[in-house]
Amino acid sequence: MANEQTPVPHEAGISKDRVWNWNDYHSVFSYRYGSPDMRHIWSEGHKAEVGADVWIAVAATQNKVGLVTDEQVQDLRDHRQDYIAGIDEALSREMDPKNPRYTGHDILAAISVYGDVAPEGGKIVHRPLTSEDYLSNIEVVQMVESVDLVEAGLRNTLINFGKQIEEYKDLPVLGQTHMQAGEPTTLGYRLAAHAQDFLEDYKKLQFVKGRMLGKGIKGPVGTMAEVETLLDGKDMDPLQHEVDVMDQLGLEAFPISNQTYPRKLTADVIGVLADIGVSAQRFGLNMRIYQSSLFDELAEPRNSRDRGSSAMPHKRNPRHAENIIALARGIKFKHLEAQEVAANVVMERGIDDSAGKRSFLPEAFLAADEVLKRVGDIAGRLVVNKDSIWRNLHTFSQFTATAPIMAEMTKGGADRQESHEVLAQIAQRAFDSFRATGANTFGEEVLENPEVRKYMTEEQIKMMIDQADHHVGMSAKLCDIFLQEHLYPALFPESNGVKEDSKE
């Protein structure tokens, strides 16, 4: 199967168009981690864009029953960009006591800025809302947009894993259990285990995505009392008012909200990001081991000018894998903070759910965005060192013949426990010899052992030792089943799981 390319989030980096004051503190997510697309979603500018859309949607709905004039709606629309351009002034009015228009309140400051640039629309803007009718719906829109980017990153990652699984499903590698040489597996099967982790995350993301609802327009405690008063005598009730506004924002509303949307939603969404982090952290950890000097089986893609160390130029440090681990680790703790917020909502709400969320919510998305970009890049351009794979396999594969030899002995009538003990002693002596000389004598000792020869011929023993490298069972078949019955149907449901070849 050929490769299907899906959009990948843009590279992280410092925008050349932005003037930075490096004497101020900046979050590393402002410039180092995460894509420009994800950073834009969580910017103050985009928050103002979506906020303007909330106010315009409310005005347009109330216009239908004569509460707002055509001129007022149009004034808000015409000066939307002017309002967005007034972010600095809005923040100053909120936070700077020296500002003559100081409010000490973010929404009051924003309302006053919109009222300045749109004096007709400003007369009715925010009526009859509470702050969280504005803020909560903005935040859900931001989360929905962010989930779309994460979904694209997951798809790209899974497609890239699928390519590698197909290519290497038959390539034997030395299996490792307890970090000890075990039976062989295949590289494709090993990669399929990682892909399966991310596929489960993809399915969870699909589930949560379908349950991302807004607060709606429900007022200070969620009862719609203010909206009901405003609409008294009009040919529209509060529920119709809410549906009409939310349709314009592309959202449905929770049936029950208090002052904010239910904070369980934040915990659920970040929970999926944390699950992605778990999958990514495991992959990053294993890539560190695969790329280590003693294994040297796999490596991250590297540009010709990449340098792994300032002191030791020969090194190929797994810097992307280690970044993945560090960022993924952090998402789990952001999930814990989101759970604490959800668990500590007192009655209709307190403001303690706000300050921490200003950082942990965008940073959870930015970290997941960066993690998926790096995992997807490694999976797509994985460096496979076949010489090292064969060397490691041939060095230890004789030991892995113990299981099939023991099975054959017991088939011939040997006691299983006694056979295990015989082979364990042979393996220990051979391993001691290997440590001292670098030569693996396991096969020779098995051939000479009288207990083994009671139940097996010389030809049978030699065949099992010679075939130990390829004792990979159903690995390739299981890879095919995973791809054709699980991965591709999830990624390409519209084509019944068939991934068409694409032109190179």
Side-chain angles (χ1 to χ4, degrees):
M1 296 237 174
N3 314 331
E4 169 168 330
Q5 296 302 319
T6 56
V8 184
H10 296 149
E11 295 291 333
I14 298 176
S15 170
K16 295 179 181 179
D17 300 324
R18 179 172 176 181
V19 177
W20 292 81
N21 178 1
W22 294 111
N23 291 316
D24 283 344
Y25 170 78
H26 299 285
S27 166
V28 291
F29 292 102
S30 299
Y31 60 91
R32 186 176 295 276
Y33 303 120
S35 67
D37 291 341
M38 188 67 83
R39 283 202 292 273
H40 172 70
I41 289 172
W42 293 100
S43 67
E44 290 297 317
H46 188 56
K47 179 180 176 182
E49 290 173 344
V50 180
D53 292 339
V54 171
W55 279 332
I56 291 169
V58 171
T61 296
Q62 294 174 10
N63 172 252
K64 294 179 178 181
V65 292
L67 288 168
V68 173
T69 68
D70 294 345
E71 291 75 19
Q72 287 171 324
V73 176
Q74 194 59 46
D75 194 33
L76 292 176
R77 287 173 174 156
D78 288 345
H79 294 93
R80 177 179 181 272
Q81 287 304 122
D82 297 325
Y83 164 67
I84 294 164
I87 297 170
D88 287 340
E89 178 60 22
L91 289 171
S92 175
R93 293 183 190 183
E94 175 197 353
M95 303 179 70
D96 184 3
K98 296 179 182 179
N99 189 309
R101 305 283 297 279
Y102 173 69
T103 66
H105 190 282
D106 53 350
I107 308 307
L108 292 177
I111 292 169
S112 69
V113 169
Y114 215 156
D116 287 348
V117 299
E120 283 302 310
K123 294 175 183 178
I124 54 86
V125 74
H126 199 67
R127 187 182 68 183
L129 311 184
T130 189
S131 296
E132 282 296 331
D133 289 330
Y134 175 81
L135 292 172
S136 281
N137 289 310
I138 293 173
E139 197 164 273
V140 174
V141 169
Q142 289 175 301
M143 285 195 287
V144 169
E145 293 172 339
S146 298
V147 164
D148 286 342
L149 283 186
V150 171
E151 181 181 24
L154 264 175
R155 281 182 61 85
N156 180 73
T157 296
L158 287 166
I159 287 169
N160 287 344
F161 268 117
K163 292 185 302 183
Q164 304 293 358
I165 293 166
E166 288 185 15
E167 183 168 355
Y168 295 112
K169 63 185 178 183
D170 294 308
L171 179 63
V173 295
L174 184 68
Q176 297 278 341
T177 60
H178 311 279
M179 287 300 293
Q180 303 290 306
E183 288 186 354
T185 181
T186 67
L187 179 56
Y189 193 76
R190 177 174 279 169
L191 294 174
H194 291 295
Q196 181 172 257
D197 287 346
F198 286 107
L199 180 58
E200 291 304 305
D201 300 330
Y202 184 79
K203 293 175 182 177
K204 292 176 188 175
L205 189 71
Q206 298 295 314
F207 176 77
V208 169
K209 184 177 179 180
R211 300 173 66 82
M212 296 181 70
L213 308 179
K215 178 201 169 177
I217 308 298
K218 290 185 169 69
V221 296
T223 62
M224 295 184 167
E226 286 75 16
V227 184
E228 185 179 43
T229 298
L230 180 71
L231 293 173
D232 185 36
K234 301 296 181 180
D235 190 22
M236 179 182 285
D237 66 26
L239 291 173
Q240 293 170 316
H241 177 274
E242 178 176 80
V243 169
D244 195 84
V245 172
M246 299 304 281
D247 280 348
Q248 295 175 68
L249 299 175
L251 295 175
E252 294 181 26
F254 275 103
I256 302 295
S257 292
N258 298 133
Q259 189 170 103
T260 71
Y261 67 85
R263 294 310 191 199
K264 279 279 289 182
L265 174 61
T266 310
D268 289 344
V269 172
I270 298 184
V272 178
L273 303 184
D275 284 340
I276 293 170
V278 169
S279 302
Q281 187 173 344
R282 180 191 175 214
F283 177 70
L285 173 63
N286 279 274
M287 277 301 302
R288 290 176 77 181
I289 298 169
Y290 303 147
Q291 190 164 324
S292 65
S293 299
L294 295 180
F295 278 84
D296 190 41
E297 294 185 347
L298 303 179
E300 301 172 350
R302 186 169 83 157
N303 297 323
S304 61
R305 295 185 65 82
D306 282 351
R307 297 293 178 263
S309 169
S310 62
M312 294 171 280
H314 71 280
K315 293 173 65 181
R316 294 192 55 151
N317 294 346
R319 65 186 186 90
H320 292 296
E322 291 174 341
N323 266 293
I324 288 166
I325 293 168
L327 292 169
R329 181 188 294 139
I331 302 173
K332 291 182 289 187
F333 293 103
K334 291 175 175 61
H335 181 214
L336 177 60
E337 191 169 0
Q339 289 177 313
E340 284 295 305
V341 166
N344 287 282
V345 176
V346 178
M347 288 177 270
E348 277 63 54
R349 188 242 181 160
I351 203 170
D352 59 302
D353 65 351
S354 177
K357 184 163 54 59
R358 291 177 187 267
S359 62
F360 74 68
L361 183 54
E363 290 185 3
F365 276 107
L366 284 157
D369 185 48
E370 180 70 19
V371 160
L372 285 171
K373 180 176 73 68
R374 292 183 186 240
V375 174
D377 187 48
I378 293 173
R381 300 191 296 134
L382 187 67
V383 178
V384 178
N385 299 324
K386 291 185 179 179
D387 290 339
S388 296
I389 286 174
W390 283 115
R391 182 186 65 246
N392 294 337
L393 185 62
H394 291 178
T395 298
F396 294 100
S397 62
Q398 289 187 45
F399 292 118
T400 68
T402 54
I405 290 173
M406 182 168 58
E408 190 65 28
M409 291 173 66
T410 55
K411 280 170 61 178
D415 180 272
R416 198 253 184 214
Q417 191 59 34
E418 291 176 1
S419 300
H420 185 282
E421 184 61 28
V422 168
L423 292 169
Q425 291 180 11
I426 294 173
Q428 187 59 57
R429 288 194 300 270
F431 214 101
D432 290 342
S433 175
F434 172 74
R435 289 192 185 99
T437 66
N440 193 334
T441 62
F442 177 80
E444 298 171 13
E445 291 206 39
V446 170
L447 281 168
E448 295 172 359
N449 188 278
E451 291 300 317
V452 178
R453 293 296 299 274
K454 284 181 183 178
Y455 304 99
M456 296 180 65
T457 67
E458 180 178 349
E459 290 73 20
Q460 285 177 308
I461 295 170
K462 285 182 176 180
M463 182 183 69
M464 288 192 173
I465 291 173
D466 290 343
Q467 291 181 351
D469 287 354
H470 298 277
H471 185 61
V472 296
M474 295 277 290
S475 296
K477 178 66 174 177
L478 291 170
C479 286
D480 286 334
I481 291 172
F482 171 70
L483 293 173
Q484 304 304 329
E485 298 183 15
H486 299 277
L487 182 64
Y488 295 149
L491 297 180
F492 310 106
E494 69 286 348
S495 58
N496 296 318
V498 177
K499 182 166 71 73
E500 297 181 356
D501 291 353
S502 62
K503 295 180 181 180
E504 296 294 336

